[in-house]
Amino acid sequence: MNTAIFIPLLPLLAAMLIGWQGKRLQSHVALIGIVATAGSSLFSFLTLYHVSTQGPIHLTFWSWGQEAAPSLTVGMLVDRLTAVMMVLISSVSTVIHLYSRRYLEGDPGYQRFFGLLGLMTFTILSLVASPNFLVLFLFWQLLSWVLYLLLAFNVSHALASEYARKTLLVHRIGDVSFLCGLLLIYQYFGTFEFAAVFQQAASDPPMIRLWAGSPLELSIVPVIALLIFVGAMAKSAQFPLHVWLPDTMDSPTPVSALMHAGIINAGGFLLNRLAPLYALSPTTLHLVFIVGAGTVLLGASMMLVQNDIKKTLGFSTMGQMGYMIMECGLGAFALAIFHLIAHGFFKATLFLASGSLIQAARHEPKFPPTSGHRPTRLPTGLTWMTGLSVTLLMPLFILLVAHGVLEVPLQDAHGAVIFLFFGWVTASQAIFSLYRLQAVASWKVAGAMIGTLFFIGFVYLWAGETFTHFLYPDPGVANGFFQAAAFPPQVFDGMILVATLVVLFGWLIMYTTSRGQKILNPHWVLSIRQTGWVLFINRCYVDGLFKKLGSALLRLAEKVAYRY
């Protein structure tokens, strides 16, 4: 199906036409961009249907090396993973084009913005269709540079330009690591092609020595997987390479929506594309899980102390990317893509809505009610019962009936524990937000909330299981990823036990507070809360460390330049 080439080609042609004739076309540039991305979206849906029914599409425009086994090809690889990502990217880009048409009307950079938007859409679509490591890395680089141009769109805004440079520099850290992994791939495998590298890594992985004469040898696969993962960390804002994300909110709202719905997902896509390679390195997968878990905790904690709606959404994205990386670390690669799609549409909607809310607040400010002299309303017994039911009982109930009602094979103990883990943590996060809003005011509201959460839980479980079989239809592939990422039972059970104890302890605190009792020293609790607030509002001081490191490197470079 050669029409798949039109998916990235249409946005590229639109970007070239706008760049060439933008001043003459004036406001018509928006219509050109909309038609191009809508056409790309249509071809994406057709391609998804084709690869679902007839298998992957391989388009080769140029090859180098032996004809039977080329070392490098230039073309497109469109399998189910690529087709799904193309539908997501082109659909979100079309919506953002439509939104930007009036949002940026009258802006002096109107034509430039739509040209860059088309170029960014082409870059992401080409990245997900890359047939090998080298082409993927080239579009990975182009993505960083086009993102820099979009973030620095408001050239008169000094902070926007400064933070765009910061984003580019942080991405360079990951890109250098990615490049090192790429060089090792060619040195030890002699090819950049995905299938050839995966096959050789599985059948006969090259071994290296830590130093000359050392009797110890280790496989090159974990080294390559770890180096490439650092590249994914930078793009997907994983701790400690997350420092660029919260500072990108000075860009136009459509750029924020595109970045949080599509660009930042590049790391999750990269891990999924290389899933066969990561399945050969359980140690790397465990490290991926740890990094993702740390990012979730820090992203959610820093989100809670923000007082700016766009920064709140930014840290929320950081936490969600942590969830996605955690799922990859557990071997649930398909669930990570499912999560990525759901989060992409959800976060794009929030960002596009936030622009209208900010505009309305500027023209008709509404101050919060003056509740400073009123006592804070404590959680009622209804709140406590609702939260306990949702947090602890809902995941267990869904797990028990999922076999019979939805025919989801959760008899695998590892999969069941993973579901319980995410179910408890997600339910706790949801009920904590409701607790802060004090939204449970009646039995009707509580019943509707519990019913809705049960429905969402069942649908999410069924859709996630179905999507896993769709993305990896070959028998045993998805289960093989789970087995490769499996922790020792004692370690994983210990993590689940700690998570359960934290949830129970949180509910114990809420229960005693609702009854006017204190089980902890109030002064000690207040001190912890103040320390935590200062720590998280300063982003754990990681930004300061990066700034000092950058200054030290600059001074070193100046000394070297002065000497030579």
Side-chain angles (χ1 to χ4, degrees):
M1 186 179 183
N2 295 333
T3 53
I5 193 175
F6 290 111
I7 300 172
L9 187 61
L10 288 177
L12 176 63
L13 291 176
M16 293 173 65
L17 179 60
I18 294 171
W20 180 39
Q21 294 288 333
K23 291 184 179 179
R24 180 177 297 180
L25 293 171
Q26 298 292 331
S27 60
H28 296 297
V29 295
L31 183 60
I32 294 173
I34 292 169
V35 171
T37 51
S40 176
S41 182
L42 176 62
F43 281 115
S44 297
F45 278 102
L46 293 175
T47 303
L48 177 61
Y49 175 76
H50 179 88
V51 299
S52 302
T53 55
Q54 300 185 34
I57 301 171
H58 297 269
L59 297 177
T60 302
F61 309 132
W62 178 81
S63 64
W64 176 65
Q66 299 178 2
E67 185 175 353
S71 302
L72 175 64
T73 59
V74 176
M76 294 176 65
L77 167 61
V78 186
D79 56 6
R80 294 189 176 192
L81 173 61
T82 300
V84 167
M85 293 298 297
M86 283 179 158
V87 169
L88 170 68
I89 295 163
S90 57
S91 301
V92 171
S93 180
T94 303
V95 173
I96 291 174
H97 272 79
L98 287 168
Y99 179 89
S100 305
R101 185 181 185 183
R102 294 192 59 188
Y103 185 84
L104 290 173
E105 196 170 19
D107 192 288
Y110 194 74
Q111 293 82 14
R112 178 164 52 90
F113 177 81
F114 278 96
L116 289 173
L117 202 55
L119 183 59
M120 175 58 83
T121 305
F122 158 74
T123 303
I124 308 175
L125 288 170
S126 301
L127 187 150
V128 299
S130 300
N132 54 56
F133 284 94
L134 183 60
V135 176
L136 191 152
F137 179 75
L138 293 177
F139 281 109
W140 191 268
Q141 296 304 303
L142 185 59
L143 178 66
S144 296
W145 287 101
V146 180
L147 177 61
Y148 168 76
L149 295 175
L150 276 172
L151 292 178
F153 173 74
N154 293 324
V155 291
S156 60
H157 194 338
L159 279 179
S161 300
E162 179 184 341
Y163 292 144
R165 283 196 299 273
K166 179 181 178 180
T167 300
L168 187 64
L169 290 174
V170 175
H171 283 184
R172 295 279 73 78
I173 298 173
D175 293 347
V176 169
S177 180
F178 193 168
L179 178 61
C180 292
L182 198 68
L183 295 175
L184 287 178
I185 286 173
Y186 190 72
Q187 179 179 352
Y188 286 95
F189 295 98
T191 178
F192 290 115
E193 297 299 306
F194 290 134
V197 172
F198 296 157
Q199 184 178 6
Q200 190 176 341
S203 60
D204 186 21
M207 307 298 288
I208 59 171
R209 296 181 187 276
L210 294 179
W211 61 86
S214 171
L216 298 177
E217 288 186 332
L218 73 156
S219 170
I220 193 65
V221 173
V223 180
I224 293 173
L226 187 59
L227 288 170
I228 294 178
F229 174 60
V230 176
M233 286 175 61
K235 279 288 191 297
S236 289
Q238 297 299 295
F239 181 84
L241 300 180
H242 68 281
V243 292
W244 62 273
L245 182 63
D247 291 331
T248 55
M249 303 305 162
D250 290 306
S251 58
T253 295
V255 176
S256 300
L258 180 63
M259 186 169 64
H260 289 257
I263 298 171
I264 201 167
N265 295 323
F269 167 79
L270 180 64
L271 296 187
N272 267 271
R273 172 56 75 206
L274 307 183
L277 190 69
Y278 280 91
L280 300 173
S281 176
T283 306
T284 307
L285 285 176
H286 295 164
L287 183 62
V288 169
F289 174 82
I290 293 170
V291 171
T295 304
V296 168
L297 292 175
L298 292 173
S301 301
M302 288 187 271
M303 178 192 72
L304 293 175
V305 300
Q306 301 301 313
N307 55 9
D308 179 284
I309 183 171
K310 290 185 74 174
K311 286 190 184 299
T312 302
L313 293 176
F315 280 108
S316 168
T317 296
M318 177 184 165
Q320 292 299 322
M321 290 301 103
Y323 267 124
M324 185 182 65
I325 295 298
M326 277 179 69
E327 288 166 339
C328 292
L330 290 169
F333 289 99
L335 283 179
I337 292 295
F338 184 70
H339 187 167
L340 178 155
I341 295 169
H343 173 260
F345 284 114
F346 175 66
K347 197 51 68 69
T349 305
L350 289 182
F351 265 103
L352 295 180
S354 70
S356 303
L357 291 176
I358 293 172
Q359 190 73 7
R362 286 173 178 167
H363 288 85
E364 298 178 4
K366 294 180 181 179
F367 297 99
T370 54
S371 57
H373 298 290
R374 289 185 299 176
T376 304
R377 189 175 58 171
L378 297 174
T380 63
L382 179 61
T383 305
W384 187 85
M385 288 297 298
T386 305
L388 183 65
S389 302
V390 172
T391 307
L392 293 179
L393 302 182
M394 186 187 76
L396 283 172
F397 181 78
I398 292 178
L399 187 68
L400 291 174
V401 302
H403 298 286
V405 178
L406 302 177
E407 298 182 354
V408 174
L410 285 173
Q411 63 272 21
D412 177 17
H414 192 69
V417 173
I418 289 174
F419 173 76
L420 271 179
F421 179 80
F422 280 99
W424 275 336
V425 173
T426 304
S428 300
Q429 194 175 25
I431 203 65
F432 179 66
S433 300
L434 292 171
Y435 166 71
R436 294 181 79 205
L437 295 173
Q438 300 181 354
V440 183
S442 68
W443 283 107
K444 291 181 180 178
V445 175
M449 187 183 73
I450 293 176
T452 303
L453 286 175
F454 267 92
F455 176 75
I456 294 173
F458 274 115
V459 171
Y460 193 89
L461 184 62
W462 171 79
E465 186 69 20
T466 304
F467 186 75
T468 299
H469 289 294
F470 169 78
L471 207 59
Y472 297 107
D474 296 333
V477 173
N479 194 39
F481 294 151
F482 276 112
Q483 291 176 354
F487 280 89
Q490 297 82 1
V491 176
F492 202 80
D493 293 346
M495 291 190 297
I496 298 298
L497 180 62
V498 170
T500 307
L501 291 176
V502 169
V503 172
L504 288 174
F505 185 69
W507 280 110
L508 179 63
I509 295 293
M510 285 188 63
Y511 176 73
T512 54
T513 303
S514 67
R515 296 172 63 88
Q517 300 172 349
K518 302 289 183 184
I519 61 172
L520 297 175
N521 186 335
H523 299 290
W524 183 74
V525 173
L526 181 62
S527 174
I528 292 290
R529 289 182 62 179
Q530 290 176 341
T531 304
W533 189 89
V534 172
L535 178 67
F536 292 126
I537 199 67
N538 287 289
R539 305 177 186 179
C540 301
Y541 302 100
V542 177
D543 293 67
L545 291 176
F546 269 91
K547 201 169 184 178
K548 289 183 178 179
L549 180 62
S551 300
L553 289 175
L554 183 60
R555 287 196 299 272
L556 179 62
E558 288 174 346
K559 288 181 180 178
V560 172
Y562 178 76
R563 176 171 297 181
Y564 299 101

